[in-house]
């Protein structure tokens, strides 16, 4: 990528797209194109084609997606499969037809089978049944991976698919009905501290293990891979380390300065027991994360408090 190339970041208002734009700006890229949802509905095929014809980006970061935590995914699967299939199908096809030089598609670590061995190697894709709480979303992402691979094979289109682990950071969604666990715990524990509540409720048993990557690290890896990676196989992006939800709650409580009790609501689902990525392929290319979990949580908490706590 040259600094003057036209680069389209789809989904720039989201956690990932926003971080990619910040990263590109910091590196001195001068021709970054974005569109808000009101300006361009990515589920509208005709509008997406017209946008690509007019704008003719050279590079595309496909970070636009309908995303959510365990509750949103398990209660609204129809929205997750429909919107993600439409967005990615329109964008990948329009990118190919308008002559985009390279496209990077962002998947998710939930594409791997629920009971796959840990850590999750790229080759475990499509080797077993999915975790039911987010299978509709996962199938959409798997279709995107297959579409990128197929366009590469049949048309020689230069697309790559990267699989980030659970992400967090400034710009995250802190709505308790749709957020992921880390922003949810920051909000719940902060509110309990402010209100002087004696306890905070965490969903599930606290035993599932998750890996967390700061979104600035993800953006760094995505920009790196746009240049450094060119293969039809997917590539994982993570830290290679995980914590239990109970350990995460204790860490967030420590950062926030909350001394109350953590209680578990086991009527809520645990989801997949463990989701740790094998990141040896990415490390082999020379990339490693820079933001530690405690430091990243502290920075995200600071951002959350600065936003006003709604
Ligand atoms: P997942 O990684 O797709 O399962 O998505 P989440 O980030 O939503 O949930 C991860 C784990 O954290 C699951 O075991 C949840 O039950 C657990 N969890 C505990 N408390 C919360 C909460 O307040 N919100 C969310 N979203 N998850 C929570």
């Amino acid at each position: 990528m040259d600094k003057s190339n036209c680069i389209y970041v789809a989904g720039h208002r989201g956690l990932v797209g926003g971080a990619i734009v910040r990263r590109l700006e910091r590196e001195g890229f001068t021709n970054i194109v974005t569109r808000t949802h009101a300006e361009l509905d990515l589920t509208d095929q005709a509008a997406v084609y017209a946008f690509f014809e007019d704008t003719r980006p050279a590079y595309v970061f496909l970070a636009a997606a309908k995303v959510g935590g365990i509750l949103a995914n398990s209660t609204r699967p129809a929205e997750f499969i429909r919107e993600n299939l439409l967005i990615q199908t329109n964008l990948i096809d329009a990118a190919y037809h308008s002559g985009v030089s390279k496209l990077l598609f962002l998947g998710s670590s939930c594409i791997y089978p629920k009971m796959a061995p840990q850590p999750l190697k790229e080759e475990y894709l499509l080797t077993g049944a999915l975790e039911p709480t987010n299978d509709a979303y996962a199938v959409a992402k798997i279709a995107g991976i297959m579409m990128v691979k197929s366009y590469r094979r049949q048309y020689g289109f230069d697309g790559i698919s990267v699989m980030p682990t659970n992400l967090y950071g400034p710009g995250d969604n802190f709505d308790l009905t749709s957020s992921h666990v880390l922003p949810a715990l920051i909000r719940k524990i902060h509110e309990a501290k402010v209100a002087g509540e004696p306890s905070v409720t965490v969903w599930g048993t606290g035993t599932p293990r998750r890996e967390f990557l700061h979104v600035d690290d993800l953006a760094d890896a995505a920009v790196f891979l746009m240049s450094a990676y060119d293969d039809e196989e997917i590539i994982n992006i993570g830290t290679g380390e995980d914590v239990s939800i109970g350990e995460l709650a204790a860490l967030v409580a420590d950062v926030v300065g909350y001394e109350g009790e953590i209680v578990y609501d086991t009527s809520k689902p645990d989801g997949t027991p463990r989701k740790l990525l094998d990141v040896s392929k990415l490390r082999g290319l020379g990339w490693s994360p820079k933001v530690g979990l405690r430091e990243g949580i502290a920075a995200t908490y600071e951002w959350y408090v600065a936003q006003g706590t709604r």
Side-chain angles (χ1 to χ4, degrees), residues 10-11 42 62-67 83-84 87-88 105-106 137 141:
L42 297 175
L62 206 178
K66 181 173 180 65
V67 298
E83 286 182 39
N84 285 305
I87 291 169
Q88 71 203 28
F105 174 65
L106 282 133
Y137 175 77
K141 287 292 184 187

Side-chain angles (χ1 to χ4, degrees), residues 176-301:
L176 296 180
T177 59
S178 59
S179 70
H180 284 100
V181 61
L182 201 152
L185 293 185
I186 288 180
R187 178 172 180 169
K188 284 180 178 176
I189 292 173
H190 172 76
E191 289 180 350
K193 179 186 154 188
V194 171
E197 299 284 353
S199 67
V200 168
T201 305
V202 172
W203 297 350
T205 59
T207 58
R209 299 186 69 84
R210 295 289 184 274
E211 175 186 11
F212 297 96
L213 181 72
H214 192 280
V215 73
D216 287 348
D217 273 336
L218 181 271
D220 189 55
V223 172
F224 169 73
L225 290 171
M226 185 65 110
S227 304
Y229 193 68
D230 192 12
D231 197 278
E232 69 168 39
E233 295 307 329
I234 61 176
I235 181 164
N236 291 337
I237 307 179
T239 63
E241 287 168 21
D242 63 0
V243 292
S244 72
I245 298 303
E247 287 163 350
L248 179 72
L251 183 54
V252 173
D254 197 38
V255 168
V256 170
Y258 176 69
E259 289 178 352
E261 201 190 339
I262 304 290
V263 296
Y264 293 94
D265 175 2
T266 52
S267 71
K268 293 283 195 307
D270 267 345
T272 199
R274 197 174 184 199
K275 220 173 13 171
L276 176 65
L277 293 179
D278 183 312
V279 288
S280 38
K281 198 160 151 181
L282 181 59
R283 284 189 181 264
L285 292 173
W287 189 89
S288 53
K290 289 159 197 70
V291 186
L293 185 55
R294 171 180 284 273
E295 175 199 345
I297 291 173
T300 307
Y301 178 50

